[in-house]
Amino acid sequence: MSRNSLIRINSKALISNLNIVKKYAPQSKIWCVIKANAYGHTMRAALKGLKNTSGFAVSEIDEAIFLRENGWNGPILLISGFFKISDLTELYQYKLTTVIHSRWQIEMLKKYNCPNTIEIYLKLNSGMNRLGFDKNNFIYAWNELYQSKKVSNLTLMSHFSFSYSKRSVHQQVKIINEVSNKINKAPQCLANSTAILLHPETHKDWIRPGIILYGVLPFENNFMNQKYGFEPVMTLESKLVAIQHINSNAYVGYGKNYYSKSSDTIGIISCGYADGYPYNIHSSGTPILVDGVRTQIIGSVCMDMLMVDLNPCPKVKIGSTVELWGKNIKINDIAKSAKTTSYELMCKINPKVLVKIE
């Protein structure tokens, strides 16, 4: 069976989504977060659709090198920081800004023979409790780096753990302000996607939009009715490769997970968990679009196939286009069915799946 799974990337949607972000935080510079291969959308698509950003934030030096080798001369933030001496060599070679979140990184920088100065984002643990210095150690580290001849600019960076909660954000901002007042109110970079939309007081000098650039609201915001205007950038599609007419009182697929009480028409789609579609979705009720008609998946997702109910769309034929998520089938609905997040779904697409950047 030739593979029909395909990812379409809408570059115009990337441009539009970035412009919406700018409207929400017109006074802030923007780090477009493109870690994990631009959340599965590819670095090449990010360069094409997000080139009007102030800078790019990546998690790996290889991603930064790709940007430089493909013409990006603007700021690049290494959002996870460096881990070994060879990383520092490349930081200077490719003129990167780096996050520092731990004491051992400062000690490594002190020992390194720096060819010139470097810009640093010092991470404050204001409540996420993942990376960063607590408020007392942060002030000590800040003063040490501020006095270092190896550092050109310092920015306070923090991350919100529960950013759709006004109370939680307020608690973290209180700690951030307490620290900021002791370091002469230095430049700050705080807001992630949710904070950009809900908490304008967190916008500060730089913001860090991630998932909203790709046209998806953060998972916890599904309950909100407000329309932000973001467009889905990624469409996962495939083709209908077989049609089966089954009698009543018949099972479909592995494990007898679907039982047909009446005569049914089902379709076979050449896409499965090997392509990146989630295996553990609900056995029925998960939406899918077949030739423009909304229907549902039935039975178990297979390695490279899945089954759909064709009763609502009797006019389909072999070769009909299927949208598994995209403009019409929201990826958050698929994530909910699979008890996961849209972040994971986008990042777990098999690299062998063809990508078309449009």
Side-chain angles (χ1 to χ4, degrees):
M1 182 189 299
S2 62
R3 304 306 297 147
N4 289 301
S5 298
L6 168 69
I7 290 289
R8 294 190 186 274
I9 304 297
N10 184 346
S11 298
K12 291 182 179 179
L14 278 173
I15 295 169
S16 174
N17 293 340
L18 177 56
N19 287 335
I20 293 172
V21 170
K22 290 179 178 180
K23 291 179 180 178
Y24 273 91
Q27 304 304 316
S28 302
K29 294 182 180 179
I30 299 173
W31 291 115
C32 281
V33 181
I34 57 171
K35 61 182 179 178
N37 198 25
Y39 289 46
H41 293 68
T42 76
M43 298 288 288
R44 197 168 298 280
L47 259 179
K48 181 178 180 181
L50 300 173
K51 60 184 177 182
N52 289 325
T53 183
S54 311
F56 286 109
V58 300
S59 60
E60 299 178 13
I61 287 182
D62 285 349
E63 295 169 334
I65 293 173
F66 175 88
L67 292 172
R68 290 288 186 240
E69 291 181 346
N70 284 273
W72 177 255
N73 296 316
I76 301 176
L77 175 65
L78 194 60
I79 207 165
S80 298
F82 55 89
F83 298 95
K84 51 188 184 295
I85 289 289
S86 59
D87 291 343
L88 282 169
T89 300
E90 291 179 315
L91 277 172
Y92 285 97
Q93 180 182 353
Y94 292 99
K95 299 179 180 179
L96 310 181
T97 300
T98 185
V99 169
I100 284 183
H101 53 73
S102 299
R103 164 53 53 180
W104 63 264
Q105 291 174 312
I106 295 178
E107 296 303 320
M108 187 179 292
L109 181 65
K110 287 166 65 176
K111 294 176 182 178
Y112 185 74
N113 184 19
C114 305
N116 45 54
T117 58
I118 190 171
E119 294 190 9
I120 289 174
Y121 275 50
L122 190 63
K123 194 156 194 177
L124 170 65
N125 177 14
S126 60
M128 181 75 173
N129 295 320
R130 185 175 62 178
L131 293 175
F133 298 87
D134 63 34
K135 60 183 180 180
N136 293 324
N137 287 314
F138 181 92
I139 293 170
Y140 178 83
W142 179 278
N143 290 333
E144 183 178 8
L145 290 170
Y146 187 81
Q147 295 168 14
S148 172
K149 295 181 179 179
K150 296 182 177 182
V151 179
S152 56
N153 290 299
L154 269 175
T155 298
L156 184 158
M157 180 182 181
S158 198
H159 193 60
F160 298 116
S161 62
F162 202 43
S163 50
Y164 77 92
S165 165
K166 186 174 182 179
R167 179 181 178 184
S168 178
V169 170
H170 177 76
Q171 290 172 338
Q172 288 191 245
V173 167
K174 184 178 179 180
I175 294 172
I176 293 166
N177 288 340
E178 180 183 343
V179 171
S180 178
N181 289 334
K182 295 180 180 180
I183 55 174
N184 297 321
K185 297 183 178 180
Q188 296 182 22
C189 177
L190 308 177
N192 58 2
S193 288
T194 308
I196 290 167
L197 300 180
L198 300 183
H199 308 289
E201 72 277 12
T202 68
H203 292 173
K204 305 301 181 181
D205 302 272
W206 287 82
I207 57 174
R208 303 189 307 273
I211 197 165
I212 55 177
L213 293 171
Y214 309 104
V216 182
L217 289 179
F219 182 76
E220 63 266 24
N221 286 336
N222 274 0
F223 69 91
M224 296 189 305
N225 293 322
Q226 183 173 346
K227 303 296 183 181
Y228 293 98
F230 295 108
E231 300 177 48
V233 174
M234 174 190 288
T235 297
L236 173 61
E237 67 177 47
S238 190
K239 299 290 185 182
L240 183 68
V241 295
I243 296 174
Q244 298 283 357
H245 301 284
I246 61 174
N247 296 324
S248 59
N249 303 314
Y251 290 98
V252 176
Y254 287 121
K256 296 185 175 181
N257 284 343
Y258 180 79
Y259 179 71
S260 175
K261 295 180 179 180
S262 60
S263 299
D264 283 327
T265 302
I266 65 171
I268 314 303
I269 311 300
S270 58
C271 181
Y273 58 79
D275 300 288
Y277 195 83
Y279 169 78
N280 59 327
I281 60 165
H282 291 176
S283 59
S284 63
T286 300
I288 190 168
L289 201 75
V290 182
D291 201 22
V293 179
R294 189 181 181 94
T295 183
Q296 65 177 355
I297 292 172
I298 59 173
S300 300
V301 176
C302 307
M303 184 178 292
D304 53 11
M305 287 178 282
L306 51 82
M307 287 75 72
V308 300
D309 178 6
L310 291 184
N311 291 312
C313 36
K315 295 182 180 180
V316 299
K317 56 186 178 181
I318 302 299
S320 289
T321 298
V322 176
E323 179 186 308
L324 293 104
W325 66 65
K327 183 177 180 180
N328 301 286
I329 304 297
K330 304 303 182 185
I331 192 172
N332 276 345
D333 291 339
I334 307 302
K336 183 178 180 181
S337 178
K339 296 183 180 179
T340 184
T341 69
S342 55
Y343 299 82
E344 182 180 23
L345 295 183
M346 291 188 293
C347 292
K348 289 185 72 173
I349 295 294
N350 192 319
K352 293 183 180 181
V353 174
L354 179 65
V355 177
K356 286 191 176 182
I357 302 171
E358 300 173 337

